[in-house]
Structure formats: C-alpha cells, structure tokens
Amino acid sequence: MKKLNQYIFKRKAKKFLQHSTREKRWVDYKSAKTILLLFESDYIEKNRFIRRIIDELNQDGKKVVAWGFLDKKITSTAILPTFRILDRSTIDWFECPKEYCLRELAEVEFDLLIDLTLKDILPLQYVCLYAKAGTKAGMSRSMDDIIDFKIIIPEPDPDELTTGNDENHIEFKDLNETLFHTDQQFLYEQILHYIKNIQTSDK
C-alpha cells in the first residue's frame, strides 16, 4: 500500500507541477518574512526543538506557520492557525491531507518553506507540493522536483565538504551517520546557514 501511495503521489506531483503557476524565486533569510515549517512530530507531541525554532524565528521578526505529522489515529495537540499536527484522521486512503486541510493551506502564501523531515512522509510531501512558497528548502530524497534548494546528505565518507557546480545542491561528506540520518537540528542548521549566506543577483 505504501508503494502504491508513493506511486500515486508521484503521478499527482508530476501533473501538478506541469500546470503549476508558482513563481520560484530565491528568498534569503533576511528577505523571508513568512516561513512554513514541515516536521515529523515526536510521539509524545512535545516537539521542543520545533517550538524553539519557532520562538527564535519569531524573535527575528518572522511569521511562522508549522505543520507536522504523527502516525496516530488522533493527536492530542490543539489545532492552531500557526501550529498543527496532521494525523490519520486528517488524511485520506492515499495519505493525502483531506480537502479542508488543503483549502486552509491554499489560503496562505509564504516566502520560504523549510522541510525538516528526514524521511519520506506522504502527508507532508503533499503539503510541500501544494504549499505556495517562493523558495522550498529541504533534504534531497524523492522530492527533488519539488524542493528548490536541496541539502544532499550521502552515506558517511571521510572526505571533506564538497560543493557541486549547482549552487542549489550542497553536499556534506564529513559527518557521522547519526548526523546524516537522525538529526533534525543538523538539517535545520545547514539550511539556515545557506539561506543566510548565499547571495544572488536575483532580487
């Protein structure tokens, strides 16, 4: 069922992207006034790290909306305009958020989307696909057609940091496996570092 749902998602994503009118644009940290965070919720729904990120971004004058997902029938976290956790009750058989969730998402535009998921989570892949954002940043997995700025994290290698010809692809090869595959904070810090430091002539 999981493979079938991923296949359906890829078909929907391809069709959506072919007809999408989203204007991709590079948005650096200073220019980003509105940010959408995507994250996988911890099981007890405390999400202290995510809430700390939100507080820090708010202190920098950013308006932040956070959407998470937890594989439970129903979560205990209250739904707020700026913070919500999707659960099994809010998605359909194909793991796509239900229509009322997508309508809510469509009502808001963001300068920057930061996807902090470390693995493919279909409900949040749909959110990433349909969200209106100038720049979408995250970890490179199966979302390369959707994500504009990708952090590529390969298997651990003792080689030093290397950067390819494409400025939107940053590759890290000098960190241990824990940082590669389980550290949400590491991913966030790398994304934040580059959106603060990459300068382009596109304004």
Side-chain angles (χ1 to χ4, degrees):
M1 190 67 178
K2 201 78 175 176
K3 289 184 177 179
L4 175 61
N5 285 348
Q6 276 287 356
Y7 173 77
I8 292 171
F9 168 75
K10 289 178 181 178
R11 289 285 299 272
K12 287 185 176 181
K14 182 178 179 180
K15 184 176 180 180
F16 178 82
L17 292 172
Q18 286 175 343
H19 299 92
S20 175
T21 58
R22 179 173 78 96
E23 182 181 347
K24 297 181 184 181
R25 55 191 174 88
W26 174 252
V27 180
D28 61 23
Y29 186 78
K30 183 177 180 180
S31 303
K33 305 301 181 187
T34 54
I35 299 174
L36 174 62
L37 287 179
L38 304 184
F39 67 97
E40 180 179 9
S41 174
D42 60 57
Y43 195 75
I44 59 174
E45 302 181 43
K46 294 296 185 183
N47 297 302
R48 292 185 177 90
F49 172 64
I50 297 298
R51 294 181 187 278
R52 177 166 63 82
I53 288 177
I54 293 171
D55 288 341
E56 291 174 356
L57 293 173
N58 284 339
Q59 288 174 16
D60 273 355
K62 315 297 182 185
K63 181 179 179 181
V64 183
V65 174
W67 283 47
F69 177 75
L70 181 58
D71 194 3
K72 277 185 177 181
K73 288 184 178 180
I74 299 178
T75 66
S76 58
T77 301
I79 297 174
L80 301 172
T82 58
F83 192 95
R84 71 179 302 155
I85 297 178
L86 300 173
D87 54 35
R88 286 285 166 188
S89 72
T90 62
I91 61 176
D92 62 22
W93 284 99
F94 305 109
E95 299 185 62
C96 178
K98 291 182 177 178
E99 189 62 34
Y100 71 91
C101 295
L102 296 181
R103 283 199 305 269
E104 180 181 330
L105 182 68
E107 291 174 356
V108 188
E109 293 190 20
F110 303 92
D111 295 318
L112 179 64
L113 179 152
I114 299 177
D115 180 358
L116 294 179
T117 57
L118 301 171
K119 61 184 180 182
D120 290 337
I121 300 174
L122 267 172
L124 296 181
Q125 287 178 278
Y126 278 104
V127 174
C128 187
L129 172 66
Y130 292 130
K132 299 175 181 177
T135 296
K136 299 181 180 183
M139 178 177 168
S140 178
R141 297 188 308 275
S142 62
M143 299 275 286
D144 284 2
D145 291 339
I146 299 169
I147 296 292
D148 306 311
F149 180 80
K150 298 168 278 290
I151 298 294
I152 300 175
I153 305 180
E155 290 300 315
D157 189 294
D159 295 342
E160 64 183 31
L161 170 68
T162 61
T163 303
N165 293 329
D166 185 346
E167 68 175 6
N168 290 334
H169 292 70
I170 308 300
E171 188 167 340
F172 298 90
K173 291 187 175 180
D174 63 345
L175 299 171
N176 63 40
E177 189 171 359
T178 299
L179 290 180
F180 278 136
H181 300 296
T182 64
D183 199 341
Q184 207 173 39
Q185 180 173 351
F186 168 72
L187 177 59
Y188 173 71
E189 288 173 350
Q190 297 308 317
I191 291 174
L192 200 67
H193 171 76
Y194 284 97
I195 64 175
K196 283 185 174 181
N197 288 285
I198 288 180
Q199 301 295 322
T200 72
S201 57
D202 300 328
K203 296 292 181 182

